[in-house]
Amino acid sequence: MAETADGAVLAARTLQRITRRDGSDSPDHIQAAARPDWIGEARSLISREIVRHLAPAARQPVDQLTEPERTLLWAWRHSAPENARAWINQRLEDRWTPLDLLAVLLPHERAPFPFIDHDTLQSLDALIGLEALYSRLGPLLDAPDPDNPQDEHRERILQALRQHRGHPPGSD
């Protein structure tokens, strides 16, 4: 199934749904109870396929991520968030910038919804790690809001993260 990018997304989402704890509303909450061996194997296989599908993206600027590559990144957090986090943070060490990555991953318009809501924040935590993200964006988050932002989308991302910093997901 995961031989294609779309199949890998489907496999990751399917695995996430069958391993989600009953009653959990979180899109990224994985059942902590004992799991059958095949679940670990499936996560490992799906993760390897996602890495294979994302290999071209690893060598390109973040703003060149295609829609299927962005979808793969979001889906990866369901099957192997620790692997996704390590892969993304390696790209952030090598060539990507965190704000550019967020600008690519987060949609421009979410009205009437908050720009970064609780679920999105949890997803970013699973995908990148909020503490690492806040650390990498520190100087930008600490800077005052510009009167005339050159890029409103990026400024909205920073403003939303400023509001959430210090209020981790689940602390409501």
Side-chain angles (χ1 to χ4, degrees):
M1 176 190 285
E3 286 185 17
T4 67
D6 288 341
V9 168
L10 178 61
R13 288 181 179 164
T14 301
L15 187 61
Q16 183 263 340
R17 287 180 192 241
I18 63 172
T19 59
R20 185 178 354 180
R21 177 175 292 166
D22 291 336
S24 172
D25 293 333
S26 166
D28 300 304
H29 188 74
I30 304 296
Q31 184 176 358
R35 296 176 204 149
D37 291 340
W38 70 266
I39 292 175
E41 290 176 38
R43 284 192 176 131
S44 179
L45 288 169
I46 292 167
S47 186
R48 279 198 305 264
E49 288 301 307
I50 289 174
V51 168
R52 185 175 63 81
H53 295 303
L54 289 174
R59 298 182 298 272
Q60 299 174 352
V62 71
D63 63 351
Q64 292 182 8
L65 283 173
T66 64
E67 182 63 33
E69 290 166 341
R70 291 190 302 265
T71 302
L72 276 169
L73 285 174
W74 281 119
W76 200 2
R77 76 187 192 281
H78 296 308
S79 59
E82 62 286 344
N83 295 354
R85 206 173 304 120
W87 189 91
I88 288 171
N89 279 293
Q90 183 61 51
R91 304 296 77 73
L92 292 172
E93 289 291 324
D94 293 344
R95 66 180 344 174
W96 292 359
T97 65
L99 189 54
D100 289 341
L101 175 62
L102 293 175
V104 168
L105 291 177
L106 298 173
H108 286 269
E109 294 299 324
R110 289 186 47 100
F113 304 105
F115 192 70
I116 296 179
D117 61 13
H118 179 73
D119 287 344
T120 303
L121 200 63
Q122 279 191 310
S123 293
L124 289 173
D125 192 29
L127 193 60
I128 303 168
L130 288 179
E131 290 307 314
L133 185 61
Y134 292 144
S135 176
R136 289 179 188 279
L137 290 171
L140 294 172
L141 292 172
D142 295 336
D145 294 339
D147 291 331
N148 296 320
Q150 291 186 1
D151 184 332
E152 287 186 37
H153 182 58
R154 283 172 172 72
E155 188 52 42
R156 289 179 67 207
I157 291 169
L158 290 171
Q159 184 56 37
L161 289 173
R162 284 181 192 113
Q163 291 172 347
H164 288 292
R165 188 169 48 170
H167 300 69
S171 68
D172 300 335

